[in-house]
Amino acid sequence: MTIRFVLNGKPVEVEAPAERRAVDLLREDLGLIGTKEGCGGGECGACSILVDGVTRLSCLMLAAQLQGRDITTVEGLGTAEAPHPIQTALAECGAVQCGFCTPGMAVTAAGFLAGNPSPDRQAIREGLSGNLCRCTGYQKIIDAVESAALAMQAKPAMQEDE
Ligand code: FES
Ligand code: FES
């Protein structure tokens, strides 16, 4: 079938079997390998993407479910020159070790922060509870989300001052 959707701000059209997994469509057909597959069964969050701004697990989605949607992968969060605040914070807080969980963490945190601009640590823990990390012990990831929230709160005020 022909699947049309918006991917990281740009319209795309791709031919794929309706039952192809979204994670495979993104990684193999469209080359967006930032999205990772850990468990393949909805347990780890490494494959998280935003679908119309809401975090979804692309290993559990079918290609047909992307039809007409607005999809953001980690590649669409920010660039090396203009990273999303959560990408900056994950790096600055030392919240990345092997890095395998990081794209999914970043995407989930970005979606979480969009709806929860000033979360406390418990809310952050709950917001990221579907994303597993085998390396960091989570504290630095929570630090990073807290730091990104503060940076995102400060930015509009700075722009008003300019
Ligand atoms: S790969 Fe999708 S939840 Fe683990
Ligand atoms: S940094 Fe290795 S799994 Fe999270």
Side-chain angles (χ1 to χ4, degrees):
M1 70 178 285
T2 304
I3 305 164
R4 296 183 186 85
F5 57 102
V6 174
L7 179 59
N8 296 331
K10 292 185 185 147
V12 295
E13 185 176 306
V14 60
E15 289 295 328
E19 68 279 12
R20 186 157 174 72
R21 297 185 314 164
V23 66
D24 297 329
L25 185 88
L26 292 168
R27 286 179 53 85
E28 295 172 12
D29 300 355
L30 296 169
L32 296 181
I33 58 172
T35 302
K36 304 300 183 204
E37 179 174 2
C39 65
E43 301 289 337
C44 74
C47 65
S48 298
I49 59 173
L50 297 179
V51 179
D52 296 335
V54 177
T55 304
R56 296 281 182 238
L57 300 173
S58 62
C59 74
L60 298 184
M61 286 187 74
L62 301 179
Q65 293 176 295
L66 301 179
Q67 187 77 268
R69 303 296 189 152
D70 188 346
I71 305 299
T72 303
T73 66
V74 69
E75 290 88 348
L77 279 191
T79 62
E81 295 74 32
H84 187 286
I86 187 60
Q87 294 172 310
T88 304
L90 285 165
E92 288 182 349
C93 292
V96 180
Q97 288 190 25
C98 82
F100 191 84
C101 72
T102 308
M105 288 286 182
V107 166
T108 300
F112 170 76
L113 287 170
N116 301 272
S118 32
D120 61 23
R121 289 180 75 84
Q122 184 55 29
I124 295 170
R125 278 189 204 98
E126 286 166 16
L128 268 61
S129 61
N131 291 68
L132 303 184
C133 175
R134 63 188 171 186
C135 305
T136 65
Y138 298 100
Q139 295 308 320
K140 290 182 177 178
I141 293 173
I142 308 295
D143 293 346
V145 179
E146 219 173 16
S147 168
L150 292 173
M152 290 166 76
Q153 287 163 29
K155 206 171 173 191
M158 279 170 62
Q159 284 170 347
E160 278 168 25
D161 291 346
E162 285 168 2

